[in-house]
Amino acid sequence: MIFFFHGGHSEYNTKTAALLVPQLEFLNLDIQQQNSTAPVVGCFSNVVVMETRRLLWFMAFAFSLVLLVQYIELPYGYVISSLLSTGKAGVATADSFSANGTGDPVNQAVSGGPDASSVSQNVTEVVGEKKKPDTSKHSSDAFGGDERVVERSSGDFLEMNLSNKSLAAETGSNQHKHELPMSSDTSSRNSSIDSLQGADAAPPSIKDDDRAPLVSSPLYSPSNASSPVRERPSLTHSQLSTEVSNSAIRRAPKSTRIKGAPTVVVPISKMNDLLSQSRVSYHSMKARWPSKADDELLNAKRLIVSADSVAKNPRVDVSIYRNFSAFARSYELMEKTLKIYIYSEGERPIFHEPELNGIYASEGWFMKQLQENKHFVTKNGDKAHLFYLPFSSHVLQEVLYVPDSHSRKNLVRYLSSYLKNITTTHRFWDRTNGTDHFLVACHDWAPAETGRIMNNCIRALCNANAKGGFQFGKDISLPETYVRDAKSPLKSLGGKPPSQRHILAFFAGKMHGYLRPILLDHWENKDPDMKISGKLQKGKDQTYIQYMKSSKYCISAKGYEPYTPRVVEAIFYECVPVILSDNYIPPFFETLNWESFAVFILEKDIPKLKKILASIPEKRYVEMQQRVRLVQKHFLWHDKPVKFDIFHMILHSLWYTRVVNIGA
């Protein structure tokens, strides 16, 4: 610094300079100190950065170690996927739920808390006093509602009835003579392969003017009988708290999130290709030790492959099937050979207690009829070709799902605990790693709940989504049947002949999902030939069933998920189904040629819906409607199974899938 002093005041300037010198020395000292401490500060900041990085690496390592330990402890459960998934209401995809706590008894059974037996006891305690079943949640679908539960409040969940009928009223059986030599174990009331489509399946209550007679085909006339219906107990608030009071699940705010249109669309032609490719690319793992049952399956496979091709049959429209000769041979071998072992483990009501009413009834009816069957069921697991995991995916959700939690983690852990039980008790699972085991599940969440822990099993799923985890060649599409009355499952069967069906297309239903509002926006009250509406109101015009019986085409528009009971309902009422659901794989896809009796329309073509349907020639429509009536018998539940009915068709799909996938 430079200071200038005025020369005229020398004495004053001298005193001023004397005062400034100490200050200048102090200022100089301060500057030197700053220069000397600068390296120290820089060094300290570097140390802080290094320690911070070291701490972050340690935290990442600790988190990874925790995940690894959890994975080792929970080999069947979700770990990363359940932690990183987001909450979603009313959908069944694997990424649609957020993580939850593990404080509930079911979670503890798998993660080191109470053992599986205590979990079973807790589930048993959920069962309370019996009361009359409440079927109201299914009844409104008769007026166009698709009554899947998306979200419920806590009170609604507690009041929801879990009634289950394990015995249904008998509706009779078909009486036919065999025209081909069949197994001696096959009931004489069942028709032969040659008479597969030679008889209709209408009960005597159907009026003659309500359905057109098949050419050279007498009407099927079962005898009506009845049997008691067992009721399944319902939940109470105190009993439910026994199961979930310790749960650490946070209840998210009630909301409705709807999945949008799929980003990738798999048309029916591509599904056909994927099925063909799967026959070449997919094979079950080789068994760890041989069995006589495997030899029988390999022999059946050779006989099916070598079956003589049948191009025409005077009594069967072979165009309904992908390969009629293979189907006929496979079905016959199934009746002679197939044996199924049913695990006795599992607590009621989730296991062993079939539900026979409502839109999820398929899994219950199959469970009931297989458990009662003496021909296909064996108690010797060493003789079994297939092993059945007898649980209800719907009851699993009703008993264990915590309302508004948006999490199914405890449901998966409960199934994981069950698998641990049967794998430690029996050696059958380990022989093939579960590839000869199967499940039958109709709830929306079943694909995601079983997609990891039961991925090797043959899964019969109602929610058959080509982009939702369904594996062509291993999984099978299960028909979703809406059974309104378990005492009379064939009630109101049939419909009017083609000449009396004056409505071009019909749809009615609740506005579930993203697609139905689009459908109504284009066609509701827009065209007299198109009866498209929301849920029908009681007492107005025709009923839902009457519209189905009077329409040429019945639209099966997806709701929250691709599948809907309207596909089977259309066949039940002899209306040509129009499948308006991208990526939906129709039932018995490996056996039936759906394009011969149904119409597939892509969702993007909704604006052209009438143009597409009106362009179908009348002759083609009549042919398709006739085939609907012929294929109808494959979609009917009888109190006592009848040859080629839905029970036997599900069995055949399971059998055929196991046969074609077994390796030498």
Side-chain angles (χ1 to χ4, degrees):
M1 298 180 65
I2 301 175
F3 295 91
F4 297 93
F5 301 97
H6 194 272
H9 303 278
S10 59
E11 182 178 353
Y12 175 80
N13 291 338
T14 302
K15 293 180 179 180
T16 303
L19 292 172
L20 287 174
V21 168
Q23 296 181 16
L24 291 173
E25 291 178 354
F26 177 81
L27 180 61
N28 184 51
L29 179 61
D30 184 67
I31 292 172
Q32 292 178 359
Q33 289 178 348
Q34 289 183 9
N35 292 335
S36 63
T37 57
V40 177
V41 174
C43 182
F44 178 78
S45 63
N46 290 336
V47 172
V48 171
V49 172
M50 292 177 62
E51 290 299 323
T52 302
R53 290 178 178 174
R54 186 176 301 175
L55 179 61
L56 291 175
W57 278 107
F58 176 79
M59 292 174 63
F61 175 79
F63 182 74
S64 302
L65 183 62
V66 169
L67 289 182
L68 179 62
V69 171
Q70 288 187 8
Y71 185 81
I72 294 174
E73 290 296 320
L74 303 174
Y76 298 114
Y78 291 114
V79 180
I80 298 178
S81 60
S82 62
L83 289 173
L84 303 181
S85 58
T86 56
K88 192 168 190 177
V91 297
T93 55
D95 59 350
S96 56
F97 293 82
S98 61
N100 70 335
T102 58
D104 58 289
V106 176
N107 294 341
Q108 293 174 1
V110 185
S111 59
D115 58 19
S117 62
S118 66
V119 176
S120 300
Q121 182 178 0
N122 286 335
V123 175
T124 304
E125 291 173 359
V126 170
V127 178
E129 60 182 355
K130 295 183 179 180
K131 69 178 184 179
K132 186 176 181 180
D134 178 12
T135 58
S136 60
K137 76 172 204 159
H138 303 295
S139 61
S140 61
D141 194 52
F143 302 93
D146 191 0
E147 294 299 320
R148 283 194 187 83
V149 177
V150 183
E151 282 297 331
R152 303 184 182 94
S153 66
S154 178
D156 291 337
F157 180 83
L158 297 176
E159 293 172 3
M160 186 170 52
N161 191 292
L162 296 180
S163 65
N164 173 48
K165 294 95 179 166
S166 62
L167 297 176
E170 294 187 9
T171 55
S173 57
N174 202 350
Q175 302 286 342
H176 291 290
K177 295 181 178 180
H178 295 300
E179 299 183 11
L180 286 181
M182 303 298 292
S183 168
S184 59
D185 296 309
T186 304
S187 174
S188 61
R189 57 191 168 86
N190 294 334
S191 59
S192 65
I193 289 290
D194 267 352
S195 60
L196 174 59
Q197 294 168 348
D200 222 347
S205 59
I206 301 295
K207 296 181 180 179
D208 292 339
D209 58 354
D210 279 344
R211 58 187 283 136
L214 287 170
V215 179
S216 303
S217 300
L219 292 179
Y220 167 64
S221 302
S223 59
N224 291 323
S226 62
S227 59
V229 178
R230 189 176 66 212
E231 301 174 356
R232 179 155 51 81
S234 60
L235 296 177
T236 66
H237 189 282
S238 61
Q239 292 159 348
L240 179 62
S241 63
T242 302
E243 180 67 21
V244 300
S245 60
N246 296 325
S247 177
I249 298 175
R250 287 186 178 182
R251 296 196 177 189
K254 189 171 182 178
S255 61
T256 301
R257 297 182 180 91
I258 300 175
K259 288 194 300 185
T263 55
V264 178
V265 176
V266 183
I268 187 68
S269 58
K270 180 62 176 177
M271 292 182 189
N272 293 331
D273 294 339
L274 291 173
L275 180 64
S276 299
Q277 294 169 11
S278 70
R279 297 305 185 205
V280 178
S281 61
Y282 180 82
H283 294 286
S284 303
M285 69 162 284
K286 188 174 182 180
R288 290 189 171 95
W289 60 85
S291 73
K292 182 180 178 181
D294 286 352
D295 293 337
E296 293 170 345
L297 291 173
L298 288 169
N299 182 59
K301 184 176 183 178
R302 288 190 292 268
L303 293 174
I304 293 171
V305 171
S306 62
D308 295 334
S309 178
V310 178
K312 287 185 178 181
N313 188 298
R315 306 198 60 174
V316 178
D317 187 347
V318 298
S319 63
I320 292 175
Y321 306 92
R322 290 182 176 275
N323 186 332
F324 175 73
S325 58
F327 169 66
R329 176 63 64 86
S330 176
Y331 191 98
E332 183 179 5
L333 290 170
M334 177 193 75
E335 289 192 313
K336 294 178 179 179
T337 309
L338 177 60
K339 296 298 177 183
I340 298 175
Y341 180 86
I342 304 176
Y343 284 103
S344 60
E345 289 78 5
E347 295 292 334
R348 297 174 184 268
I350 296 175
F351 289 86
H352 304 291
E353 194 159 318
E355 188 176 45
L356 304 181
N357 278 324
I359 61 176
Y360 304 108
S362 288
E363 62 182 25
W365 275 83
F366 178 84
M367 183 189 299
K368 168 187 179 293
Q369 295 192 339
L370 184 61
Q371 288 175 338
E372 296 174 350
N373 192 282
K374 295 181 180 180
H375 174 61
F376 292 112
V377 174
T378 178
K379 294 183 178 180
N380 185 350
D382 292 326
K383 295 182 178 180
H385 306 93
L386 289 169
F387 297 81
Y388 178 38
L389 307 174
F391 71 93
S392 167
S393 61
H394 180 220
V395 179
L396 175 72
Q397 175 263 332
E398 288 198 318
V399 172
L400 296 183
Y401 175 66
V402 179
D404 303 328
S405 67
H406 306 294
S407 174
R408 56 174 172 266
K409 191 174 182 180
N410 58 325
L411 282 67
V412 175
R413 286 186 167 177
Y414 182 78
L415 292 179
S416 299
S417 177
Y418 169 75
L419 282 183
K420 283 188 175 181
N421 184 20
I422 65 171
T423 54
T424 55
T425 305
H426 305 278
R427 59 193 178 93
F428 308 127
W429 178 282
D430 291 337
R431 195 180 77 88
T432 63
N433 201 25
T435 57
D436 54 0
H437 287 55
F438 72 91
L439 60 97
V440 177
C442 209
H443 193 268
D444 295 16
W445 300 349
E449 291 167 352
T450 62
R452 179 171 179 173
I453 61 176
M454 300 177 180
N455 192 48
N456 289 336
C457 300
I458 302 172
R459 301 183 303 165
L461 303 169
C462 285
N463 192 1
N465 185 347
K467 286 298 179 179
F470 185 95
Q471 297 185 50
F472 287 89
K474 181 185 78 69
D475 298 332
I476 66 174
S477 179
L478 178 69
E480 183 186 20
T481 56
Y482 182 9
V483 178
R484 292 176 168 83
D485 185 359
K487 294 182 179 180
S488 182
L490 298 181
K491 184 178 180 180
S492 301
L493 177 68
K496 295 181 179 180
S499 61
Q500 297 180 26
R501 292 177 178 263
H502 304 301
I503 301 172
L504 178 63
F506 167 69
F507 172 84
K510 289 184 176 181
M511 293 299 98
H512 292 169
Y514 68 89
L515 185 68
R516 295 180 184 181
I518 298 175
L519 176 64
L520 266 63
D521 184 60
H522 280 88
W523 294 108
E524 186 177 27
N525 299 323
K526 302 292 177 62
D527 192 301
D529 293 333
M530 308 284 286
K531 180 60 180 177
I532 310 295
S533 70
K535 182 180 177 180
L536 295 179
Q537 301 300 318
K538 295 182 179 181
K540 289 188 177 182
D541 300 325
Q542 302 182 65
T543 67
Y544 179 82
I545 294 176
Q546 288 171 338
Y547 273 118
M548 280 231 167
K549 289 174 173 284
S550 304
S551 301
K552 288 185 174 181
Y553 299 97
C554 292
I555 299 175
S556 300
K558 74 189 325 179
Y560 293 114
E561 297 295 337
Y563 74 113
T564 165
R566 286 165 179 78
V567 176
V568 176
E569 279 183 326
I571 297 173
F572 193 89
Y573 300 119
E574 299 173 357
C575 180
V576 175
V578 177
I579 299 179
L580 191 59
S581 178
D582 289 350
N583 297 341
Y584 174 61
I585 305 161
F588 308 135
F589 188 66
E590 69 288 334
T591 299
L592 299 179
N593 176 22
W594 275 83
E595 292 173 282
S596 69
F597 58 87
V599 180
F600 291 81
I601 298 180
L602 296 177
E603 295 172 10
K604 67 180 181 65
D605 292 329
I606 285 180
K608 300 185 291 185
L609 183 59
K610 182 179 180 181
K611 181 179 179 181
I612 294 173
L613 296 178
S615 66
I616 300 175
E618 182 67 16
K619 181 179 179 181
R620 168 65 175 165
Y621 160 71
V622 173
E623 181 181 59
M624 294 175 72
Q625 200 270 347
Q626 179 79 356
R627 288 171 177 167
V628 166
R629 296 184 60 195
L630 293 173
V631 81
Q632 184 187 67
K633 59 168 44 66
H634 296 322
F635 296 91
L636 301 180
W637 290 110
H638 302 264
D639 185 65
K640 292 184 178 180
V642 175
K643 182 186 282 290
F644 302 118
D645 68 355
I646 187 172
F647 171 73
H648 286 93
M649 289 298 290
I650 295 172
L651 274 185
H652 176 264
S653 290
L654 295 165
W655 152 265
Y656 183 74
T657 299
R658 176 60 179 154
V659 166
V660 298
N661 289 332
I662 190 170

